[in-house]
Amino acid sequence: MDFQQELDAIFEIIKDTLPTGVTFTCYSIPSYSGRGTTGKSYFALIDGKVNREAIPDALNHDREHRNNEINQRVRKAQFDITVEQEPGRFVLFSISKENGYTYKIATPEELLFHTKLDLMQNVDHGARKESFAEVAPDKKTGKPDVVGRQKIYYENGDVKEYSGTPVSDFARAAFHALDGKLKFVYAMASKTEVIIKTTPAIPGVTELYEFNEDLTLDASKIENIYEFLESFSEAKIEKAIEALQANPEFKAKAEKRYGQLIKTRVGEDAGIESFEKAALSRKEIELFSDWHFAENVISLGRMDEDECRTVVDFIGSLVMSHLDIHEFKAQMEATENEMELREVYYSASQKVKAGMLAEANVYGGSWFGQISTLLANHKVEKLMFEKTHFKIESSDALKAFMFYMCLNNGVSMYFDIYQSYLYDLTEFFWFLPALPRTAWGETDFVLPELTLKFRRKAYYRINDDGEWLRKSPKPAGVA
């Protein structure tokens, strides 16, 4: 489709409704999923200020106008144009009676201009909003992960801090403008002025935001080394690894703490020198927030394959740091009845929980210890899959993840699988002292092979309104 031809056709229809001497502008940003867009609605600059009050009906997307035929055509053209562009870029649309209807990819100067306008629009009179955004490429996809925070300084002297940052769109677009080299964005905004700095600077566009890191490390205490390792700072991580290489005792302790995570995420032959590759990113850490780990629930709802793998690999690695799962599997498959099975499981689970808490107590001031404490105490009554791409084949990490499900709950459990890909729950499903009831909605029903010497009964249903059914496979080795 000739996109400009479509814009020209729209312009011919609406040009007589446009005022003379006024340019209306909006921008749209294609998502990284390829399925959607974000952006800002049309505005005009009047006396240097954003004005959205006098927008022509054809460009007005409010509830009163959005269903009009011409409005729908405008929105469709913008959407079709935007999703054809590279993800994360600002696509600028501009229309005026004098210059017609056009689109373009924003230059770095235009990125800065529109971001400043947005920031000034979203700060209260008398207040100042300070924004911070850390930017890093995803370790697998290369797309920019942005994690930020903001402080608002109110006129009465109050200061409030929030997660999230209003400069995230700018950060992603600037990341691409700098060929993936952008690391940090800083902004300070009021109603009359906006300052934006970046690391590194965008030549001719932004000033340099300089980090002043204190790299002084007291390496006589291992918790100080852990603090540097978990800091997200390349320089501090390098300093910590140097300290560990010089202290074999501390290195052995660090490898006990992080080694399984490194092997799972990097490779079996990887050591502590690969810590930075294995460490969770700030975006990955958010997967362990209250949104997914609510009271008595783990929700993997709408997670993609990489996000599911992150959760499985981290939890599985924590378990495997304190349990030889191959030895545990052999012990389970040697049991003769459920009583013996429960005894083996509870003995192992107490060891795992104690080990997780012990490591968190050594240093719990950052993400590793904090997530370890969360997981060591989290009771799981429900594991929820909703439109989840759990495309994970059987692995040691997945088996250890399944082991974790009953760490703090040996009574009852429910797995809810709806419109999701779920390949394998592994034979460790049958090792849980409390076999989960499973509900399967609009997805393939599959329970793993039973490898125990005795029968166990698993209850399941197809769809939420289905009748509860029972599956009791024959013991291993029985024809």
Side-chain angles (χ1 to χ4, degrees):
M1 178 180 181
D2 186 330
F3 293 132
Q4 187 56 57
Q5 187 176 4
E6 173 64 3
L7 293 184
D8 291 342
I10 292 172
F11 177 72
E12 288 301 316
I13 296 172
I14 68 174
K15 64 182 180 181
D16 292 338
T17 69
L18 301 176
T20 301
V22 180
T23 298
F24 299 95
T25 306
C26 77
Y27 68 80
S28 189
I29 305 169
S31 71
Y32 289 89
S33 69
R35 297 188 294 270
T37 68
T38 58
K40 297 292 182 179
S41 60
Y42 279 96
F43 68 91
L45 276 182
I46 299 177
D47 296 328
K49 295 182 179 180
V50 171
N51 186 304
R52 288 191 168 91
E53 300 300 319
I55 303 301
D57 288 350
L59 304 178
N60 197 328
H61 298 335
D62 64 11
R63 186 171 297 178
E64 180 182 351
H65 300 92
R66 64 183 295 112
N67 291 324
N68 295 341
E69 182 178 349
I70 189 62
N71 295 73
Q72 291 178 342
R73 187 170 175 181
V74 168
R75 291 202 309 277
K76 184 178 186 306
Q78 288 181 198
F79 179 85
D80 290 344
I81 290 170
T82 301
V83 296
E84 284 297 312
Q85 313 309 315
E86 292 291 327
R89 278 65 170 182
F90 277 40
V91 186
L92 295 180
F93 294 88
S94 179
I95 185 169
S96 70
K97 184 184 286 287
E98 294 77 15
N99 297 312
Y101 197 1
T102 61
Y103 75 95
K104 63 178 292 191
I105 302 300
T107 65
E109 292 83 359
E110 289 166 333
L111 291 177
L112 189 70
F113 175 76
H114 284 278
T115 301
K116 285 185 173 183
L117 288 180
D118 290 339
L119 290 174
M120 282 192 285
Q121 286 291 298
N122 290 290
V123 63
D124 295 336
H125 286 283
R128 292 177 299 125
K129 183 180 289 187
E130 190 174 32
S131 302
F132 310 84
E134 295 188 47
V135 189
D138 183 272
K139 294 174 183 178
K140 293 183 179 178
T141 66
K143 70 181 182 182
D145 282 337
V146 178
V147 178
R149 58 190 174 87
Q150 55 185 306
K151 286 183 178 181
I152 301 179
Y153 302 85
Y154 293 96
E155 193 172 15
N156 63 4
D158 288 348
V159 179
K160 293 186 178 180
E161 186 166 350
Y162 303 91
S163 60
T165 175
V167 295
S168 58
D169 286 339
F170 171 81
R172 292 186 186 94
F175 174 88
H176 295 298
L178 282 173
D179 296 324
K181 297 175 183 175
L182 185 75
K183 295 183 178 180
F184 197 86
V185 177
Y186 170 84
M188 178 65 84
S190 68
K191 276 295 185 187
T192 57
E193 182 184 26
V194 177
I195 297 169
I196 295 180
K197 298 181 180 182
T198 61
T199 305
I202 303 175
V205 179
T206 61
E207 296 180 31
L208 175 67
Y209 182 82
E210 297 188 80
F211 290 96
N212 295 309
E213 286 192 292
D214 183 359
L215 297 178
T216 305
L217 172 61
D218 177 3
S220 66
K221 296 180 180 179
I222 197 165
E223 58 266 35
N224 295 339
I225 298 176
Y226 290 165
E227 180 181 358
F228 266 47
L229 279 175
E230 298 176 31
S231 67
F232 304 102
S233 162
E234 291 180 19
K236 287 186 175 182
I237 292 172
E238 183 179 350
K239 191 93 172 178
I241 290 175
E242 288 175 2
L244 291 175
Q245 300 291 17
N247 188 327
E249 179 186 352
F250 280 5
K251 181 180 179 181
K253 290 181 178 181
E255 288 181 334
K256 169 64 177 173
R257 180 180 174 97
Y258 305 111
Q260 196 59 57
L261 179 65
I262 294 170
K263 291 179 185 299
T264 300
R265 283 174 56 100
V266 181
E268 276 298 319
D269 296 329
I272 195 66
E273 68 282 352
S274 298
F275 175 84
E276 189 172 1
K277 291 181 181 178
L280 298 188
S281 67
R282 292 184 186 274
K283 189 73 174 287
E284 289 174 324
I285 290 168
E286 292 179 352
L287 297 174
F288 296 89
S289 68
D290 291 347
W291 180 261
H292 295 291
F293 285 77
E295 184 177 0
N296 299 336
V297 174
I298 294 179
S299 172
L300 306 177
R302 300 181 185 273
M303 284 193 188
D304 62 29
E305 183 178 349
D306 287 337
E307 291 170 332
C308 290
R309 193 175 302 281
T310 295
V311 173
V312 166
D313 285 353
F314 189 85
I315 293 178
S317 295
L318 280 188
V319 170
M320 290 188 291
S321 293
H322 309 289
L323 178 70
D324 183 330
I325 63 164
H326 299 287
E327 181 181 318
F328 172 77
K329 172 181 164 70
Q331 290 174 341
M332 278 295 194
E333 292 174 347
T335 59
E336 300 287 345
N337 52 56
E338 289 212 17
M339 183 176 295
E340 289 183 15
L341 179 145
R342 289 173 180 274
E343 289 175 355
V344 172
Y345 181 88
Y346 288 134
S347 175
S349 65
Q350 289 173 1
K351 176 183 175 183
V352 169
K353 180 170 182 174
M356 291 165 66
L357 289 173
E359 280 296 347
N361 287 334
V362 174
Y363 177 65
S366 191
W367 57 270
F368 188 93
Q370 290 167 357
I371 299 175
S372 295
T373 301
L374 163 72
L375 295 173
N377 294 300
H378 193 66
K379 182 180 180 181
V380 184
E381 293 182 357
K382 276 188 179 182
L383 177 62
M384 303 186 70
F385 303 81
E386 181 181 358
K387 298 184 179 179
T388 304
H389 287 242
F390 201 84
K391 298 180 178 180
I392 302 177
E393 305 286 355
S394 181
S395 66
D396 287 353
L398 181 55
K399 293 173 183 179
F401 173 79
M402 288 302 303
F403 169 93
Y404 169 77
M405 290 299 111
C406 279
L407 190 73
N408 293 299
N409 178 18
V411 181
S412 63
M413 190 173 301
Y414 179 67
F415 287 6
D416 190 350
I417 305 104
Y418 175 71
Q419 290 186 347
S420 296
Y421 294 98
L422 178 59
Y423 288 170
D424 196 351
L425 293 172
T426 81
E427 69 274 22
F428 275 52
F429 172 88
W430 298 103
F431 298 167
L432 296 175
L435 276 181
R437 288 177 173 247
T438 58
W440 306 77
E442 298 182 36
T443 192
D444 293 334
F445 167 68
V446 54
L447 285 181
E449 179 186 1
L450 177 72
T451 60
L452 295 169
K453 290 183 177 182
F454 55 94
R455 285 182 181 269
R456 299 197 75 194
K457 299 173 185 177
Y459 290 88
Y460 69 96
R461 65 183 178 187
I462 307 302
N463 298 322
D464 287 342
D465 58 354
E467 179 184 353
W468 283 107
L469 305 172
R470 185 179 72 185
K471 188 175 181 67
S472 182
K474 293 179 180 180
V478 176

